[in-house]
Amino acid sequence: MRVVVQRVSKAAVYIDGKQYSSIERGMLVLLGIEEADGNEDVDWLVPKLARLRIFPDAQGVMNRDIMEIMGEFLVVSQFTLHASTRKGNRPAYIRAARPESAIPLYEDFVAKLITLTGSGVRTGQFGAMMQVELVNDGPVTIIIDSRNRE
């Protein structure tokens, strides 16, 4: 699993020109699931995100996690995070998981994030064409891949 995490002051997902979901202060999580991913990736990644200290403390140091600031998550599926650009100019998505395996992992990811953090967790709609609007706070953008745990 690969995520792009952005610390945001607000973010929203639109589908067909209508707002589908939104958050205020928190994290926008773009989630890419590949065929090799399983429940162990979810179980490693969810606590990592919940405890990721990217929010400033009173001294302005990134030392607080999302639960300490009572922030929210907006989780958006994004298969393009597993694009291969090695050959030619058109990305290939052969490593991205098919919906029949990706949807259960996506749903498990969201459910475990809710259970662990108790924070507000909003989502996009899996497989939909979405427009994502955000105000990146900092800017702070972090990439985490469950294949690179060392």
Side-chain angles (χ1 to χ4, degrees), residues 10-42:
K10 65 180 178 177
V13 171
Y14 295 85
I15 300 173
D16 296 328
K18 296 179 182 163
Q19 186 173 310
Y20 181 80
S21 62
S22 67
I23 63 168
E24 293 300 318
R25 188 176 185 206
M27 290 184 202
L28 171 63
V29 178
L30 304 175
L31 173 64
I33 301 170
E34 68 175 304
E35 282 296 334
D37 290 333
N39 290 337
E40 66 280 355
D41 296 286
V42 173

PDB file of all heavy atoms in Angstrom, residues 10-42:
ATOM      1  N   LYS A  10      -8.231  22.238   5.128  1.00  0.00           N
ATOM      2  CA  LYS A  10      -9.534  21.762   4.666  1.00  0.00           C
ATOM      3  C   LYS A  10      -9.340  20.997   3.372  1.00  0.00           C
ATOM      4  O   LYS A  10      -8.377  21.211   2.643  1.00  0.00           O
ATOM      5  CB  LYS A  10     -10.534  22.899   4.484  1.00  0.00           C
ATOM      6  CG  LYS A  10     -10.179  23.884   3.406  1.00  0.00           C
ATOM      7  CD  LYS A  10     -11.232  24.969   3.305  1.00  0.00           C
ATOM      8  CE  LYS A  10     -10.835  25.989   2.240  1.00  0.00           C
ATOM      9  NZ  LYS A  10     -11.867  27.010   2.069  1.00  0.00           N
ATOM     10  N   ALA A  11     -10.264  20.083   3.109  1.00  0.00           N
ATOM     11  CA  ALA A  11     -10.230  19.298   1.874  1.00  0.00           C
ATOM     12  C   ALA A  11     -11.641  18.811   1.566  1.00  0.00           C
ATOM     13  O   ALA A  11     -12.454  18.634   2.475  1.00  0.00           O
ATOM     14  CB  ALA A  11      -9.274  18.109   2.010  1.00  0.00           C
ATOM     15  N   ALA A  12     -11.895  18.580   0.283  1.00  0.00           N
ATOM     16  CA  ALA A  12     -13.224  18.113  -0.129  1.00  0.00           C
ATOM     17  C   ALA A  12     -13.100  17.266  -1.383  1.00  0.00           C
ATOM     18  O   ALA A  12     -12.174  17.431  -2.177  1.00  0.00           O
ATOM     19  CB  ALA A  12     -14.151  19.297  -0.388  1.00  0.00           C
ATOM     20  N   VAL A  13     -14.053  16.361  -1.540  1.00  0.00           N
ATOM     21  CA  VAL A  13     -14.166  15.525  -2.733  1.00  0.00           C
ATOM     22  C   VAL A  13     -15.476  15.879  -3.426  1.00  0.00           C
ATOM     23  O   VAL A  13     -16.526  15.975  -2.775  1.00  0.00           O
ATOM     24  CB  VAL A  13     -14.161  14.021  -2.368  1.00  0.00           C
ATOM     25  CG1 VAL A  13     -14.492  13.166  -3.580  1.00  0.00           C
ATOM     26  CG2 VAL A  13     -12.825  13.616  -1.790  1.00  0.00           C
ATOM     27  N   TYR A  14     -15.393  16.053  -4.740  1.00  0.00           N
ATOM     28  CA  TYR A  14     -16.571  16.336  -5.555  1.00  0.00           C
ATOM     29  C   TYR A  14     -16.749  15.229  -6.571  1.00  0.00           C
ATOM     30  O   TYR A  14     -15.776  14.751  -7.157  1.00  0.00           O
ATOM     31  CB  TYR A  14     -16.402  17.681  -6.279  1.00  0.00           C
ATOM     32  CG  TYR A  14     -16.341  18.856  -5.332  1.00  0.00           C
ATOM     33  CD1 TYR A  14     -15.149  19.227  -4.744  1.00  0.00           C
ATOM     34  CD2 TYR A  14     -17.495  19.567  -5.018  1.00  0.00           C
ATOM     35  CE1 TYR A  14     -15.084  20.290  -3.861  1.00  0.00           C
ATOM     36  CE2 TYR A  14     -17.437  20.641  -4.136  1.00  0.00           C
ATOM     37  CZ  TYR A  14     -16.236  20.992  -3.561  1.00  0.00           C
ATOM     38  OH  TYR A  14     -16.180  22.045  -2.681  1.00  0.00           O
ATOM     39  N   ILE A  15     -17.984  14.830  -6.770  1.00  0.00           N
ATOM     40  CA  ILE A  15     -18.335  13.853  -7.794  1.00  0.00           C
ATOM     41  C   ILE A  15     -19.485  14.451  -8.596  1.00  0.00           C
ATOM     42  O   ILE A  15     -20.485  14.895  -8.019  1.00  0.00           O
ATOM     43  CB  ILE A  15     -18.745  12.495  -7.172  1.00  0.00           C
ATOM     44  CG1 ILE A  15     -17.588  11.930  -6.346  1.00  0.00           C
ATOM     45  CG2 ILE A  15     -19.186  11.519  -8.260  1.00  0.00           C
ATOM     46  CD1 ILE A  15     -17.930  10.684  -5.556  1.00  0.00           C
ATOM     47  N   ASP A  16     -19.330  14.468  -9.917  1.00  0.00           N
ATOM     48  CA  ASP A  16     -20.331  15.065 -10.801  1.00  0.00           C
ATOM     49  C   ASP A  16     -20.673  16.499 -10.400  1.00  0.00           C
ATOM     50  O   ASP A  16     -21.833  16.916 -10.432  1.00  0.00           O
ATOM     51  CB  ASP A  16     -21.606  14.208 -10.840  1.00  0.00           C
ATOM     52  CG  ASP A  16     -21.372  12.835 -11.440  1.00  0.00           C
ATOM     53  OD1 ASP A  16     -20.501  12.724 -12.338  1.00  0.00           O
ATOM     54  OD2 ASP A  16     -22.046  11.877 -11.009  1.00  0.00           O
ATOM     55  N   GLY A  17     -19.657  17.242  -9.974  1.00  0.00           N
ATOM     56  CA  GLY A  17     -19.842  18.647  -9.636  1.00  0.00           C
ATOM     57  C   GLY A  17     -20.476  18.914  -8.292  1.00  0.00           C
ATOM     58  O   GLY A  17     -20.688  20.060  -7.928  1.00  0.00           O
ATOM     59  N   LYS A  18     -20.781  17.862  -7.534  1.00  0.00           N
ATOM     60  CA  LYS A  18     -21.411  18.035  -6.228  1.00  0.00           C
ATOM     61  C   LYS A  18     -20.473  17.555  -5.130  1.00  0.00           C
ATOM     62  O   LYS A  18     -19.813  16.521  -5.274  1.00  0.00           O
ATOM     63  CB  LYS A  18     -22.723  17.255  -6.152  1.00  0.00           C
ATOM     64  CG  LYS A  18     -23.757  17.756  -7.128  1.00  0.00           C
ATOM     65  CD  LYS A  18     -25.017  16.955  -7.049  1.00  0.00           C
ATOM     66  CE  LYS A  18     -25.986  17.486  -8.107  1.00  0.00           C
ATOM     67  NZ  LYS A  18     -27.038  16.582  -8.399  1.00  0.00           N
ATOM     68  N   GLN A  19     -20.470  18.292  -4.021  1.00  0.00           N
ATOM     69  CA  GLN A  19     -19.614  17.889  -2.910  1.00  0.00           C
ATOM     70  C   GLN A  19     -20.091  16.564  -2.336  1.00  0.00           C
ATOM     71  O   GLN A  19     -21.255  16.405  -1.993  1.00  0.00           O
ATOM     72  CB  GLN A  19     -19.609  18.949  -1.810  1.00  0.00           C
ATOM     73  CG  GLN A  19     -18.612  18.622  -0.706  1.00  0.00           C
ATOM     74  CD  GLN A  19     -18.483  19.746   0.290  1.00  0.00           C
ATOM     75  OE1 GLN A  19     -18.296  20.893  -0.069  1.00  0.00           O
ATOM     76  NE2 GLN A  19     -18.585  19.408   1.563  1.00  0.00           N
ATOM     77  N   TYR A  20     -19.169  15.618  -2.259  1.00  0.00           N
ATOM     78  CA  TYR A  20     -19.470  14.278  -1.755  1.00  0.00           C
ATOM     79  C   TYR A  20     -19.095  14.176  -0.282  1.00  0.00           C
ATOM     80  O   TYR A  20     -19.817  13.591   0.516  1.00  0.00           O
ATOM     81  CB  TYR A  20     -18.714  13.249  -2.594  1.00  0.00           C
ATOM     82  CG  TYR A  20     -18.964  11.821  -2.198  1.00  0.00           C
ATOM     83  CD1 TYR A  20     -20.109  11.153  -2.606  1.00  0.00           C
ATOM     84  CD2 TYR A  20     -18.047  11.125  -1.414  1.00  0.00           C
ATOM     85  CE1 TYR A  20     -20.343   9.834  -2.249  1.00  0.00           C
ATOM     86  CE2 TYR A  20     -18.265   9.807  -1.051  1.00  0.00           C
ATOM     87  CZ  TYR A  20     -19.410   9.167  -1.463  1.00  0.00           C
ATOM     88  OH  TYR A  20     -19.631   7.860  -1.106  1.00  0.00           O
ATOM     89  N   SER A  21     -17.931  14.710   0.087  1.00  0.00           N
ATOM     90  CA  SER A  21     -17.501  14.722   1.479  1.00  0.00           C
ATOM     91  C   SER A  21     -16.454  15.803   1.671  1.00  0.00           C
ATOM     92  O   SER A  21     -15.841  16.262   0.702  1.00  0.00           O
ATOM     93  CB  SER A  21     -16.955  13.357   1.910  1.00  0.00           C
ATOM     94  OG  SER A  21     -15.824  13.004   1.144  1.00  0.00           O
ATOM     95  N   SER A  22     -16.252  16.188   2.929  1.00  0.00           N
ATOM     96  CA  SER A  22     -15.265  17.226   3.218  1.00  0.00           C
ATOM     97  C   SER A  22     -14.797  17.116   4.662  1.00  0.00           C
ATOM     98  O   SER A  22     -15.469  16.496   5.494  1.00  0.00           O
ATOM     99  CB  SER A  22     -15.857  18.617   2.965  1.00  0.00           C
ATOM    100  OG  SER A  22     -16.881  18.891   3.895  1.00  0.00           O
ATOM    101  N   ILE A  23     -13.636  17.697   4.918  1.00  0.00           N
ATOM    102  CA  ILE A  23     -13.103  17.778   6.270  1.00  0.00           C
ATOM    103  C   ILE A  23     -12.540  19.171   6.495  1.00  0.00           C
ATOM    104  O   ILE A  23     -12.265  19.905   5.557  1.00  0.00           O
ATOM    105  CB  ILE A  23     -11.988  16.736   6.545  1.00  0.00           C
ATOM    106  CG1 ILE A  23     -10.775  16.963   5.636  1.00  0.00           C
ATOM    107  CG2 ILE A  23     -12.535  15.319   6.416  1.00  0.00           C
ATOM    108  CD1 ILE A  23      -9.529  16.177   6.034  1.00  0.00           C
ATOM    109  N   GLU A  24     -12.347  19.482   7.754  1.00  0.00           N
ATOM    110  CA  GLU A  24     -11.595  20.673   8.127  1.00  0.00           C
ATOM    111  C   GLU A  24     -10.167  20.211   8.426  1.00  0.00           C
ATOM    112  O   GLU A  24      -9.670  19.324   7.771  1.00  0.00           O
ATOM    113  CB  GLU A  24     -12.276  21.366   9.316  1.00  0.00           C
ATOM    114  CG  GLU A  24     -13.645  21.955   8.975  1.00  0.00           C
ATOM    115  CD  GLU A  24     -13.596  23.016   7.878  1.00  0.00           C
ATOM    116  OE1 GLU A  24     -12.664  23.853   7.895  1.00  0.00           O
ATOM    117  OE2 GLU A  24     -14.477  23.018   7.004  1.00  0.00           O
ATOM    118  N   ARG A  25      -9.546  20.715   9.421  1.00  0.00           N
ATOM    119  CA  ARG A  25      -8.155  20.414   9.758  1.00  0.00           C
ATOM    120  C   ARG A  25      -7.916  18.911   9.911  1.00  0.00           C
ATOM    121  O   ARG A  25      -8.670  18.225  10.602  1.00  0.00           O
ATOM    122  CB  ARG A  25      -7.794  21.131  11.054  1.00  0.00           C
ATOM    123  CG  ARG A  25      -6.347  21.057  11.408  1.00  0.00           C
ATOM    124  CD  ARG A  25      -6.081  21.882  12.647  1.00  0.00           C
ATOM    125  NE  ARG A  25      -4.661  21.908  12.922  1.00  0.00           N
ATOM    126  CZ  ARG A  25      -4.153  22.093  14.109  1.00  0.00           C
ATOM    127  NH1 ARG A  25      -4.950  22.290  15.152  1.00  0.00           N
ATOM    128  NH2 ARG A  25      -2.854  22.109  14.288  1.00  0.00           N
ATOM    129  N   GLY A  26      -6.888  18.417   9.259  1.00  0.00           N
ATOM    130  CA  GLY A  26      -6.582  17.000   9.358  1.00  0.00           C
ATOM    131  C   GLY A  26      -5.662  16.530   8.263  1.00  0.00           C
ATOM    132  O   GLY A  26      -4.749  17.253   7.854  1.00  0.00           O
ATOM    133  N   MET A  27      -5.931  15.308   7.779  1.00  0.00           N
ATOM    134  CA  MET A  27      -5.094  14.691   6.750  1.00  0.00           C
ATOM    135  C   MET A  27      -5.930  14.245   5.560  1.00  0.00           C
ATOM    136  O   MET A  27      -6.944  13.569   5.733  1.00  0.00           O
ATOM    137  CB  MET A  27      -4.409  13.426   7.285  1.00  0.00           C
ATOM    138  CG  MET A  27      -3.343  13.629   8.295  1.00  0.00           C
ATOM    139  SD  MET A  27      -2.604  11.999   8.675  1.00  0.00           S
ATOM    140  CE  MET A  27      -1.905  12.351  10.279  1.00  0.00           C
ATOM    141  N   LEU A  28      -5.463  14.608   4.385  1.00  0.00           N
ATOM    142  CA  LEU A  28      -5.970  14.011   3.155  1.00  0.00           C
ATOM    143  C   LEU A  28      -5.057  12.834   2.867  1.00  0.00           C
ATOM    144  O   LEU A  28      -3.829  12.989   2.806  1.00  0.00           O
ATOM    145  CB  LEU A  28      -5.914  15.009   1.999  1.00  0.00           C
ATOM    146  CG  LEU A  28      -6.207  14.436   0.613  1.00  0.00           C
ATOM    147  CD1 LEU A  28      -7.625  13.900   0.521  1.00  0.00           C
ATOM    148  CD2 LEU A  28      -5.954  15.472  -0.460  1.00  0.00           C
ATOM    149  N   VAL A  29      -5.634  11.647   2.744  1.00  0.00           N
ATOM    150  CA  VAL A  29      -4.868  10.425   2.505  1.00  0.00           C
ATOM    151  C   VAL A  29      -5.273   9.858   1.150  1.00  0.00           C
ATOM    152  O   VAL A  29      -6.403   9.401   0.982  1.00  0.00           O
ATOM    153  CB  VAL A  29      -5.125   9.371   3.618  1.00  0.00           C
ATOM    154  CG1 VAL A  29      -4.350   8.091   3.325  1.00  0.00           C
ATOM    155  CG2 VAL A  29      -4.771   9.932   4.985  1.00  0.00           C
ATOM    156  N   LEU A  30      -4.353   9.927   0.185  1.00  0.00           N
ATOM    157  CA  LEU A  30      -4.556   9.300  -1.112  1.00  0.00           C
ATOM    158  C   LEU A  30      -4.008   7.891  -0.984  1.00  0.00           C
ATOM    159  O   LEU A  30      -2.817   7.707  -0.694  1.00  0.00           O
ATOM    160  CB  LEU A  30      -3.839  10.084  -2.203  1.00  0.00           C
ATOM    161  CG  LEU A  30      -4.222  11.566  -2.314  1.00  0.00           C
ATOM    162  CD1 LEU A  30      -3.347  12.269  -3.342  1.00  0.00           C
ATOM    163  CD2 LEU A  30      -5.690  11.723  -2.638  1.00  0.00           C
ATOM    164  N   LEU A  31      -4.860   6.882  -1.160  1.00  0.00           N
ATOM    165  CA  LEU A  31      -4.519   5.496  -0.876  1.00  0.00           C
ATOM    166  C   LEU A  31      -4.456   4.671  -2.154  1.00  0.00           C
ATOM    167  O   LEU A  31      -5.453   4.536  -2.859  1.00  0.00           O
ATOM    168  CB  LEU A  31      -5.565   4.895   0.072  1.00  0.00           C
ATOM    169  CG  LEU A  31      -5.484   3.408   0.376  1.00  0.00           C
ATOM    170  CD1 LEU A  31      -4.191   3.067   1.112  1.00  0.00           C
ATOM    171  CD2 LEU A  31      -6.696   2.976   1.190  1.00  0.00           C
ATOM    172  N   GLY A  32      -3.265   4.132  -2.428  1.00  0.00           N
ATOM    173  CA  GLY A  32      -3.081   3.244  -3.566  1.00  0.00           C
ATOM    174  C   GLY A  32      -2.866   1.817  -3.090  1.00  0.00           C
ATOM    175  O   GLY A  32      -2.019   1.571  -2.234  1.00  0.00           O
ATOM    176  N   ILE A  33      -3.631   0.898  -3.640  1.00  0.00           N
ATOM    177  CA  ILE A  33      -3.553  -0.512  -3.245  1.00  0.00           C
ATOM    178  C   ILE A  33      -3.052  -1.306  -4.442  1.00  0.00           C
ATOM    179  O   ILE A  33      -3.576  -1.172  -5.549  1.00  0.00           O
ATOM    180  CB  ILE A  33      -4.931  -1.029  -2.792  1.00  0.00           C
ATOM    181  CG1 ILE A  33      -5.436  -0.193  -1.604  1.00  0.00           C
ATOM    182  CG2 ILE A  33      -4.870  -2.510  -2.435  1.00  0.00           C
ATOM    183  CD1 ILE A  33      -6.881  -0.446  -1.226  1.00  0.00           C
ATOM    184  N   GLU A  34      -2.035  -2.147  -4.189  1.00  0.00           N
ATOM    185  CA  GLU A  34      -1.517  -2.987  -5.266  1.00  0.00           C
ATOM    186  C   GLU A  34      -1.892  -4.439  -5.025  1.00  0.00           C
ATOM    187  O   GLU A  34      -2.304  -4.817  -3.933  1.00  0.00           O
ATOM    188  CB  GLU A  34      -0.005  -2.812  -5.433  1.00  0.00           C
ATOM    189  CG  GLU A  34       0.835  -3.325  -4.307  1.00  0.00           C
ATOM    190  CD  GLU A  34       2.321  -3.224  -4.601  1.00  0.00           C
ATOM    191  OE1 GLU A  34       2.766  -3.768  -5.630  1.00  0.00           O
ATOM    192  OE2 GLU A  34       3.035  -2.616  -3.802  1.00  0.00           O
ATOM    193  N   GLU A  35      -1.747  -5.245  -6.072  1.00  0.00           N
ATOM    194  CA  GLU A  35      -2.158  -6.654  -6.016  1.00  0.00           C
ATOM    195  C   GLU A  35      -1.500  -7.420  -4.877  1.00  0.00           C
ATOM    196  O   GLU A  35      -2.106  -8.304  -4.298  1.00  0.00           O
ATOM    197  CB  GLU A  35      -1.876  -7.361  -7.349  1.00  0.00           C
ATOM    198  CG  GLU A  35      -2.879  -7.067  -8.433  1.00  0.00           C
ATOM    199  CD  GLU A  35      -4.296  -7.556  -8.133  1.00  0.00           C
ATOM    200  OE1 GLU A  35      -4.496  -8.515  -7.363  1.00  0.00           O
ATOM    201  OE2 GLU A  35      -5.235  -6.956  -8.685  1.00  0.00           O
ATOM    202  N   ALA A  36      -0.263  -7.092  -4.539  1.00  0.00           N
ATOM    203  CA  ALA A  36       0.467  -7.831  -3.500  1.00  0.00           C
ATOM    204  C   ALA A  36       0.050  -7.446  -2.085  1.00  0.00           C
ATOM    205  O   ALA A  36       0.487  -8.066  -1.119  1.00  0.00           O
ATOM    206  CB  ALA A  36       1.968  -7.611  -3.671  1.00  0.00           C
ATOM    207  N   ASP A  37      -0.793  -6.431  -1.936  1.00  0.00           N
ATOM    208  CA  ASP A  37      -1.185  -5.954  -0.604  1.00  0.00           C
ATOM    209  C   ASP A  37      -2.187  -6.888   0.057  1.00  0.00           C
ATOM    210  O   ASP A  37      -2.973  -7.560  -0.610  1.00  0.00           O
ATOM    211  CB  ASP A  37      -1.788  -4.549  -0.689  1.00  0.00           C
ATOM    212  CG  ASP A  37      -0.760  -3.485  -1.020  1.00  0.00           C
ATOM    213  OD1 ASP A  37       0.425  -3.701  -0.698  1.00  0.00           O
ATOM    214  OD2 ASP A  37      -1.145  -2.448  -1.590  1.00  0.00           O
ATOM    215  N   GLY A  38      -2.142  -6.889   1.381  1.00  0.00           N
ATOM    216  CA  GLY A  38      -3.070  -7.697   2.162  1.00  0.00           C
ATOM    217  C   GLY A  38      -3.376  -7.036   3.493  1.00  0.00           C
ATOM    218  O   GLY A  38      -3.000  -5.882   3.742  1.00  0.00           O
ATOM    219  N   ASN A  39      -4.030  -7.776   4.378  1.00  0.00           N
ATOM    220  CA  ASN A  39      -4.434  -7.239   5.670  1.00  0.00           C
ATOM    221  C   ASN A  39      -3.250  -6.787   6.518  1.00  0.00           C
ATOM    222  O   ASN A  39      -3.375  -5.856   7.309  1.00  0.00           O
ATOM    223  CB  ASN A  39      -5.270  -8.259   6.445  1.00  0.00           C
ATOM    224  CG  ASN A  39      -6.628  -8.452   5.801  1.00  0.00           C
ATOM    225  OD1 ASN A  39      -7.111  -7.597   5.079  1.00  0.00           O
ATOM    226  ND2 ASN A  39      -7.240  -9.588   6.060  1.00  0.00           N
ATOM    227  N   GLU A  40      -2.097  -7.435   6.358  1.00  0.00           N
ATOM    228  CA  GLU A  40      -0.925  -7.038   7.126  1.00  0.00           C
ATOM    229  C   GLU A  40      -0.464  -5.627   6.755  1.00  0.00           C
ATOM    230  O   GLU A  40       0.063  -4.899   7.596  1.00  0.00           O
ATOM    231  CB  GLU A  40       0.222  -8.047   6.970  1.00  0.00           C
ATOM    232  CG  GLU A  40       0.823  -8.136   5.582  1.00  0.00           C
ATOM    233  CD  GLU A  40       0.037  -8.971   4.573  1.00  0.00           C
ATOM    234  OE1 GLU A  40      -0.979  -9.612   4.946  1.00  0.00           O
ATOM    235  OE2 GLU A  40       0.421  -8.978   3.391  1.00  0.00           O
ATOM    236  N   ASP A  41      -0.688  -5.216   5.510  1.00  0.00           N
ATOM    237  CA  ASP A  41      -0.355  -3.853   5.093  1.00  0.00           C
ATOM    238  C   ASP A  41      -1.283  -2.845   5.759  1.00  0.00           C
ATOM    239  O   ASP A  41      -0.842  -1.797   6.220  1.00  0.00           O
ATOM    240  CB  ASP A  41      -0.420  -3.739   3.567  1.00  0.00           C
ATOM    241  CG  ASP A  41       0.617  -4.612   2.890  1.00  0.00           C
ATOM    242  OD1 ASP A  41       1.805  -4.252   2.927  1.00  0.00           O
ATOM    243  OD2 ASP A  41       0.239  -5.676   2.365  1.00  0.00           O
ATOM    244  N   VAL A  42      -2.565  -3.186   5.809  1.00  0.00           N
ATOM    245  CA  VAL A  42      -3.536  -2.335   6.505  1.00  0.00           C
ATOM    246  C   VAL A  42      -3.152  -2.217   7.976  1.00  0.00           C
ATOM    247  O   VAL A  42      -3.108  -1.110   8.534  1.00  0.00           O
ATOM    248  CB  VAL A  42      -4.973  -2.897   6.374  1.00  0.00           C
ATOM    249  CG1 VAL A  42      -5.953  -2.117   7.244  1.00  0.00           C
ATOM    250  CG2 VAL A  42      -5.426  -2.899   4.925  1.00  0.00           C
TER     251      VAL A  42
END
